[in-house]
Amino acid sequence: MKDFSRSTILVVVAHPDDEVLGCAATIRKYIKKGASAHLVVLTGGVGGRFKSGEQASLEIADSQAKLAKELNNAATLVGYSSVTSLGFPDNRLDLVGRMDISLEISKKIVELAPDTVFTHHASDYNWDHTVAFDAVMMAARRNPPEQTPREIRSFEVLSSTERAWQDATTAFHPNVYVEISDELTTKEAAMRAYESEYRPFPHPRSVEAIRILAARRGNEVGIPHAEAFALIRLVEED
């Protein structure tokens, strides 16, 4: 098993709460082992629920301010060392140059020198997630002698990944499983910290749905609870 005691982890997500649904328990587990974890959130959320002409409304600004506080509360529960919000337009990342997004992520890679990056599945239902994946792959490309992460994992996000068309070539196919029984309550608490985004069961952004998925992923590999990931790249040099 990889030694995370000296690891630096970067998590890149499109929206506040994606980081909780996708990998909160695993990140908490690695932090407990001694890793430092940093979070980059591309958008402020909320705006995608309104038409373009309404983007500058006070209602959106107030909602995003509330969501930003919830983001910080959830990040504190998980144990992130830093949180960076880039403020790109919510659910409109397809209107922003992918290179502009990638360059912002690249700045964090240069600053933090992470060895491991977590981000979205490439074929999620939400197009912001797919843009995030593309931007991470550009920012984290192997380009010696530049600093590049050795490992990249993608995760699933309840209310997005499972809603995508489940074609065999685009569905989420995990091949890395992390046992999270001891960290599951932290993940649940972090999701509840998102009062703006939390929904009652059977909505997928509920504690019950989180626990069901954790049990299902665990059952796939014979452990009680798991978060599952697709390993995108792993480079072993020593």
Side-chain angles (χ1 to χ4, degrees):
M1 180 179 177
K2 179 178 177 178
D3 179 11
F4 278 92
S5 64
R6 298 182 301 276
S7 184
T8 299
I9 299 169
L10 178 63
V11 178
V12 180
V13 297
H15 316 105
D17 87 357
D18 289 339
E19 81 287 354
V20 171
L21 292 165
C23 59
T26 296
I27 298 303
R28 179 61 187 160
K29 182 168 189 170
Y30 292 164
I31 290 171
K32 287 163 62 177
K33 290 180 177 293
S36 63
H38 304 266
L39 175 62
V40 172
V41 184
L42 301 183
T43 79
V46 180
R49 297 166 187 169
F50 299 84
K51 294 180 180 179
S52 295
E54 302 170 329
Q55 291 303 297
S57 74
L58 288 176
E59 180 182 358
I60 292 178
D62 289 345
S63 295
Q64 287 183 332
K66 183 176 186 296
L67 190 56
K69 292 179 180 177
E70 295 168 358
L71 165 63
N72 287 323
N73 290 339
T76 297
L77 287 169
V78 175
Y80 282 101
S81 297
S82 72
V83 178
T84 302
S85 297
L86 295 179
F88 288 113
D90 175 59
N91 268 283
R92 290 173 174 82
L93 287 182
D94 56 319
L95 302 179
V96 181
R98 278 172 165 76
M99 184 54 73
D100 292 333
I101 301 170
S102 180
L103 287 172
E104 292 299 321
I105 298 170
S106 293
K107 290 178 184 178
K108 301 306 293 185
I109 290 176
V110 170
E111 174 191 343
L112 300 168
D115 52 82
T116 307
V117 175
F118 289 75
T119 195
H120 291 283
H121 173 52
S123 300
D124 269 5
Y125 168 83
N126 188 298
W127 43 69
D128 279 359
H129 295 189
T130 66
V131 172
F133 176 87
D134 288 345
V136 165
M137 293 303 293
M138 174 63 77
R141 66 192 182 280
R142 297 290 289 182
N143 194 27
E146 296 176 7
Q147 161 64 33
T148 52
R150 294 185 179 186
E151 182 174 349
I152 302 173
R153 297 185 200 178
S154 69
F155 49 69
E156 58 189 332
V157 172
L158 281 164
S159 78
S160 181
T161 309
E162 80 283 4
R163 290 179 176 176
W165 166 237
Q166 299 299 301
D167 178 81
T169 61
T170 59
F172 181 68
H173 299 294
N175 52 15
V176 177
Y177 293 78
V178 179
E179 213 291 325
I180 58 163
S181 292
D182 291 342
E183 293 75 32
L184 191 51
T185 55
T186 298
K187 177 169 182 162
E188 294 169 355
M191 190 64 234
R192 288 191 183 277
Y194 278 107
E195 296 177 0
S196 302
E197 301 301 305
Y198 189 84
R199 300 289 185 271
F201 188 77
H203 196 282
R205 290 199 303 273
S206 62
V207 163
E208 293 88 346
I210 287 171
R211 190 166 284 274
I212 288 169
L213 180 61
R216 173 193 167 192
R217 291 307 187 192
N219 182 251
E220 290 174 358
V221 292
I223 57 180
H225 304 94
E227 282 180 334
F229 305 93
L231 182 62
I232 306 301
R233 183 176 76 208
L234 176 62
V235 180
E236 295 185 355
E237 297 180 294
D238 50 25

